[in-house]
Amino acid sequence: MQLGDARTGKLADNIAGFGRALRRAGVRMDSARIALATEAALAVGLERKDDVSAAMEAVMVSREQDRLVFRELFDTYFRNPEIAQKLLSQLLPSAEGKAEPSKRRPRVREALSPQKTYGHQAQPKQEDQKVEFDAAMTASDIQRLRHADFNALSGTEYRLVERLARDVRLPLPTYASRRTQPGQRGEKPHWPRAMRRAVRHGGELIELPRRARREQALPLMVLVDVSGSMERYTRLLLAFLHAATRHHRRRDVFAFGTRLTDLTPAFRLADTDAMLEHANDAIADFAGGTQLGESLQALRQHHARRLVGRRTLVLIVSDGLDTGEPQALTEELLWLRRRCGRLLWLNPLLRFDGYAPIARGAAALHAHAHGMLAVHNLSKLEDLAASIATVLRR
């Protein structure tokens, strides 16, 4: 491989430029990691490209979802010195590159794209710029992003959509609880208030206040798939659910992959970014396999009391690509369905025309869920509340 001559400083420049490209692709990067990458490359030697790639990946990548992006960008970036120099100048290597840009990951494609200049444009004030996005984003671009699949977004688009998803609301249906409150059309008289008002009028009972049953949102339990196939959906949907359900009093959130992780303490944090950081530290099996049956078994054994009566609305966010035993999953789904009010499956694979749940895990979910809803773009998230209400009325 040709990384440049370390004695003339080209190695450090190339790695610094590679670090900037990684940052454009959405990988967490700072000067300390770039310096460590340079030391790691010198430590293993520049004879073998695989050794240098593994050494730099070990110090530059801290999230499992960034590994494939790192490897693809590394292969493209260090193909030859001419492409590397053009990348340092933020130019797209279209003719020299062997890989077709259309086949690259969106985050890698954005990192290799040229930086556009827009002339002298008025910049918005910092306090008015709630969401940072590319100056090229117009109203039509944002409208396009509303219908764009989360898995096809570039790094910049993904960050923008994540911010926009936090403004989407999820008003859940309500029910009349046993507790009462003063109301105009209640079934029972409010005698304490009636007596107090009678005192003001010389003991005459002019009107009879009522007590009405208090309306409460349905208790909510969310199970989010954090396996590798759900990598591009998990973070965005967690941000959406945290912001959309922040005012729900009864809200329990779990992540499942090869094990069950309780994210309810993280969801109690008011700031969504702090919640995501806390959840990232708590989830030990991110981007691994899917064992929904074993996770539901852990839910039944350790968290069954979280299911409040038979009113709880359970949302399972998954693509249904389960690797466990289908019989065990079926038994746990039957138990969960008996204990909750409604069991809804939020499936991002519904973005494909003609999709059919023929995988073993997907077939079990489809057989026992009360409904299957799509959650693969902003438009579907905006329609989620209405879709849930439609299923509950059945």
Side-chain angles (χ1 to χ4, degrees), residues 39-317:
E39 295 180 7
L42 292 175
V44 300
L46 307 181
E47 291 78 13
R48 291 177 53 85
K49 180 179 179 180
D50 294 341
D51 293 341
V52 177
S53 176
M56 292 175 60
E57 180 181 340
V59 298
M60 300 182 86
V61 177
S62 59
R63 299 184 300 180
E64 185 65 28
Q65 60 266 38
D66 295 333
R67 295 196 182 279
L68 293 180
V69 175
F70 174 92
R71 293 168 186 174
E72 185 174 344
L73 187 57
F74 183 92
D75 291 338
T76 305
Y77 192 94
F78 292 113
R79 182 166 290 115
N80 60 60
E82 293 183 1
I83 294 181
Q85 291 301 324
K86 288 191 175 184
L87 287 171
L88 289 174
S89 303
Q90 307 299 334
L91 295 178
L92 178 65
S94 56
E96 296 85 352
K98 297 179 181 179
E100 297 180 5
S102 59
K103 295 182 180 180
R104 295 183 180 130
R105 295 175 179 271
R107 293 167 62 184
V108 176
R109 190 164 59 246
E110 182 194 32
L112 299 178
S113 62
Q115 290 284 351
K116 298 179 181 179
T117 58
Y118 301 95
H120 299 284
Q121 299 181 359
Q123 298 295 328
K125 296 181 180 179
Q126 185 174 359
E127 59 269 20
D128 296 334
Q129 195 174 10
K130 183 178 180 181
V131 179
E132 296 181 358
F133 56 91
D134 196 323
M137 286 292 180
T138 62
S140 59
D141 293 326
I142 297 178
Q143 182 66 20
R144 175 184 58 82
L145 291 181
R146 289 183 64 253
H147 300 278
D149 178 21
F150 297 149
N151 198 40
L153 298 174
S154 65
T156 300
E157 292 173 340
Y158 188 88
R159 289 189 292 271
L160 174 60
V161 169
E162 180 188 315
R163 293 288 177 177
L164 294 176
R166 300 182 188 187
D167 296 329
V168 179
R169 290 292 163 257
L170 184 63
L172 295 179
T174 59
Y175 70 97
S177 67
R178 295 180 180 179
R179 296 181 179 274
T180 60
Q181 62 184 2
Q184 297 295 331
R185 299 180 180 179
E187 299 177 356
K188 298 181 179 180
H190 193 331
W191 291 116
R193 176 172 289 188
M195 294 299 101
R196 288 194 298 269
R197 291 184 178 181
V199 170
R200 302 194 196 111
H201 299 88
E204 294 291 336
L205 187 61
I206 299 177
E207 60 177 339
L208 186 61
R210 299 282 180 174
R211 294 191 66 89
R213 298 177 68 177
R214 182 179 301 172
E215 292 290 327
Q216 292 185 350
L218 290 175
L220 180 65
M221 175 176 287
V222 183
L223 301 170
V224 182
D225 189 346
V226 295
S227 62
S229 58
M230 289 287 294
E231 173 186 336
R232 291 285 282 171
Y233 298 93
T234 299
R235 176 183 173 88
L236 197 147
L237 290 175
L238 284 176
F240 157 70
L241 290 169
H242 179 265
T245 63
R246 66 172 69 251
H247 298 299
H248 288 76
R249 296 180 58 188
R250 293 185 178 273
R251 176 187 61 175
D252 295 287
V253 184
F254 296 89
F256 68 90
T258 56
R259 50 175 290 186
L260 187 71
T261 304
D262 188 2
L263 296 183
T264 305
F267 266 64
R268 293 194 185 105
L269 301 174
D271 183 68
T272 301
D273 291 324
M275 180 277 298
L276 291 172
E277 183 176 355
H278 192 284
N280 184 68
D281 296 336
I283 299 173
D285 55 341
F286 184 82
T290 306
Q291 298 284 343
L292 179 55
E294 295 183 6
S295 299
L296 291 179
Q297 183 181 12
L299 178 70
R300 174 171 55 84
Q301 294 174 349
H302 305 291
H303 306 283
R305 293 187 178 181
R306 304 282 188 94
L307 294 166
V308 183
R310 292 190 177 181
R311 293 194 180 97
T312 305
L313 174 62
V314 178
L315 305 179
I316 297 182
V317 185

